[in-house]
């Protein structure tokens, strides 16, 4: 049995199906969207090797044929060259305005293929079949698509909502443990930003979830997707509240940049460390109780995640340089850094009212630990 979260965005509304073994019945779920029984599926090499056959069989069961393109795995694929490759390939396959493109992979494939679908013939529909925990709880829902350029991450893109999302929780079983935990960083983020009861639940269920408990995985993905959907529906193009989803990201993006977007620090790991720093800053500014950052840190540590700057291998730049990297974040408005801070677990808010000296002091201490 799968769960369904509806994303009620008017003409752009869609369903997110969440449950084990959805690949096998993908054909039945996609068929109502199709004007002819064929789709173009784009994936990465890791996901394709493990799961493409299950997906294409699931489509074939309903008489749907799939043309497939397999790209290299990794963040480097979210680039202009691969965007061109995707769009040209889709045109080679004679994908028409009424056809559907399938993004089958983690957040990298989802963002790239979603953007290709957004610009192909001025916009064709696409379906997200997210295969990483991060993609299931975050990037496949909400319609942000795009690529990285030499100027930074996600600087070129479009809002383009998928027509359907199939989050098959069984495929999470083949994720490397480190990739799973990086995605868990985003799950914890939802509890921290807006749902204290969910954070309590994660403190209890997190270890079972990481060990592979299917029901716990479905529930964690469902609650995360529901929260993201609720926020996206109220603020689709991030004029206000959607920025809350960036809890931990201002610090996290600076750390990702400082480590060269490399294996030294995965995106979700940066978010988790960034959440701890955001709660530390909130406590220092007297916004939340002093013991709250310790509780956040304790849960992440119990899950075996990176928590502090010293958990990142190799040298980091000094506090001044990290602050400068934070200044390049997309969330800078008129030169002022915007932070997501919290009055407690589940009570985050957006503010531009943070003294640079407080951030510097926090970073200096965090680096000295
Ligand atoms: P990813 O797509 O690179 O996947 C991580 C790794 O896991 C890759 O090596 C991939 O091949 C592998 N993988 C994926 N599914 C697998 C499976 N089931 N079994 C085995 N291996 C599997 O990265 P990610 O962490 O999924 O996503 C990160 C990207 O998402 C970043 O580019 C980030 O900017 C983007 N993102 C976008 C949004 C959004 O709203 N659009 C939100 C958050 C993050």
């Amino acid at each position: 049995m799968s769960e369904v979260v509806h994303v009620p965005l008017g003409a752009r509304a869609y369903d997110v199906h969440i449950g084990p073994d959805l690949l096998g019945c993908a054909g039945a779920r996609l068929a109502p969207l199709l004007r002819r029984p064929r789709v173009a599926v784009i994936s990465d090499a890791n996901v394709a090797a493990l799961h493409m056959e299950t997906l294409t069989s699931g489509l074939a069961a309903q008489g749907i044929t799939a043309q497939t393109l397999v790209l290299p795995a990794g963040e480097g694929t979210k680039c202009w060259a691969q965007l061109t490759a995707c769009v040209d390939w889709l045109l080679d396959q004679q994908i028409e305005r009424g056809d559907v493109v399938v993004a089958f992979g983690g957040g990298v494939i989802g963002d790239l293929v979603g953007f290709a679908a957004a610009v192909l013939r001025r916009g064709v529909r696409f379906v997200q079949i997210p295969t990483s925990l991060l993609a299931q709880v975050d990037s496949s829902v909400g319609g942000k698509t795009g690529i990285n350029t030499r100027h930074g991450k996600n600087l070129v893109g479009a809002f383009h909502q998928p027509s359907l999302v199939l989050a098959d929780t069984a495929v999470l079983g083949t994720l490397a443990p480190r990739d799973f935990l990086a995605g868990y960083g985003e799950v914890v983020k939802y509890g921290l930003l807006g749902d204290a009861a969910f954070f309590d639940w994660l403190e209890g269920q997190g270890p079972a979830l990481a060990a592979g408990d299917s029901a716990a995985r479905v529930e964690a993905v469902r609650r995360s997707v529901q929260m993201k959907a609720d926020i996206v529906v109220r603020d689709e193009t991030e004029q206000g509240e959607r920025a809350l989803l960036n809890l931990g990201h201002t610090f996290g993006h600076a750390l990702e940049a400082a480590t060269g977007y490399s294996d030294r620090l995965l995106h979700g790991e940066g978010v988790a460390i960034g959440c701890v720093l955001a709660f530390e800053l909130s406590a220092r500014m007297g916004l939340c109780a002093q013991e709250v950052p310790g509780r956040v840190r304790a849960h992440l540590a119990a899950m075996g995640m990176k928590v502090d700057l010293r958990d990142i291998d190799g040298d980091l730049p000094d506090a001044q340089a990290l602050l400068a990297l934070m200044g390049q974040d997309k969330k800078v408005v008129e030169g002022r850094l915007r932070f997501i801070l919290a009055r407690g677990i589940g009570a985050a808010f957006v503010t531009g009212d943070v003294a640079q000296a407080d951030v510097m002091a926090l970073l200096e201490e965090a680096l000295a630990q």
Side-chain angles (χ1 to χ4, degrees):
M1 263 304 284
S2 62
E3 302 273 347
V4 179
V5 174
H6 183 61
V7 188
L9 282 170
R12 296 177 307 290
Y14 54 97
D15 285 337
V16 182
H17 295 248
I18 301 153
D21 307 319
L22 291 178
L23 295 188
C25 49
R29 299 264 173 22
L30 262 81
L33 296 175
L34 305 183
R35 298 202 185 136
R36 51 178 176 164
R38 67 181 275 231
V39 289
V41 179
I42 303 181
S43 189
D44 78 19
N46 296 339
V47 174
L50 291 161
H51 302 293
M52 186 65 96
E53 211 178 301
T54 315
L55 176 60
T56 51
S57 310
L59 292 168
Q62 295 291 319
I64 301 167
T65 56
Q67 264 78 36
T68 60
L69 174 67
V70 178
L71 303 175
E75 187 70 33
T77 291
K78 252 175 70 173
C79 66
W80 285 112
Q82 295 293 359
L83 177 71
T84 308
C86 282
V87 171
D88 280 338
W89 179 80
L90 290 166
L91 291 170
D92 290 342
Q93 302 309 311
Q94 297 171 329
I95 294 302
E96 299 172 1
R97 216 44 205 290
D99 288 330
V100 166
V101 175
V102 177
F104 182 42
V108 165
I109 289 295
D111 281 10
L112 172 73
V113 176
F115 188 34
V119 296
L120 181 74
R121 301 189 194 277
R122 301 200 177 87
V124 301
R125 291 168 303 151
F126 84 116
V127 169
Q128 289 267 20
I129 306 189
T131 61
S132 68
L133 181 58
L134 182 139
Q136 294 194 354
V137 299
D138 194 354
S139 59
S140 64
V141 179
K144 280 191 186 175
T145 71
I147 57 170
N148 308 323
T149 79
R150 67 184 174 81
H151 293 95
K153 275 195 60 157
N154 300 328
L155 291 178
V156 174
F159 284 98
H160 187 49
Q161 299 290 347
S163 300
L164 175 71
V165 181
L166 298 181
D168 183 334
T169 47
V171 303
L172 301 177
T174 57
L175 268 181
R178 188 178 173 200
D179 284 318
F180 184 89
L181 283 182
Y184 187 76
E186 300 278 4
V187 175
V188 171
K189 178 195 79 178
Y190 289 109
L192 293 176
L193 78 88
D195 188 346
F198 185 37
F199 184 77
D200 290 348
W201 184 86
L202 289 170
E203 284 180 316
Q205 298 300 312
L209 200 153
D213 183 311
S214 174
R217 286 184 173 188
V218 173
E219 178 62 3
V221 175
R222 185 192 67 76
R223 284 178 86 151
S224 301
V225 167
Q226 184 68 61
M227 186 176 297
K228 178 146 188 188
D230 290 347
I231 293 175
V232 166
V233 163
R234 291 195 292 264
D235 179 20
E236 187 178 359
T237 56
E238 197 166 319
Q239 306 303 309
E241 187 188 356
R242 187 167 178 167
L244 289 177
L245 295 169
N246 295 322
L247 175 63
H249 284 60
T250 308
F251 290 108
H253 280 162
L255 294 169
E256 277 186 272
T259 48
Y261 302 101
S262 68
D263 262 10
R264 280 176 66 198
L265 188 73
L266 303 179
H267 174 75
E269 293 173 338
V271 169
I273 296 175
C275 283
V276 172
L277 289 169
F279 273 85
E280 289 283 2
L281 186 58
S282 303
R284 279 160 183 255
M285 291 171 66
L287 294 164
C288 74
Q290 297 300 316
E291 62 273 16
V292 176
R295 186 174 164 203
V296 177
R297 178 178 267 120
H299 177 54
L300 296 175
M303 294 296 291
M305 297 176 68
K306 290 184 169 58
V307 176
D308 293 307
L309 297 189
R310 66 165 176 272
D311 297 331
I312 302 171
D313 287 340
D315 292 333
L316 287 172
D318 64 15
Q320 190 68 54
L322 283 177
L323 195 64
L325 287 171
M326 291 167 81
Q328 280 165 23
D329 198 89
K330 278 202 304 306
K331 286 169 285 300
V332 173
V333 179
E334 286 157 15
R336 257 191 106 73
L337 271 174
R338 276 193 306 162
F339 284 87
I340 320 299
L341 298 180
R343 297 195 171 86
I345 285 173
F349 64 99
V350 186
T351 178
D353 200 13
V354 177
Q356 202 155 308
D358 287 345
V359 184
M360 271 296 282
L362 173 74
L363 289 172
E364 273 165 2
E365 276 180 42
L367 284 164
Q369 274 176 358

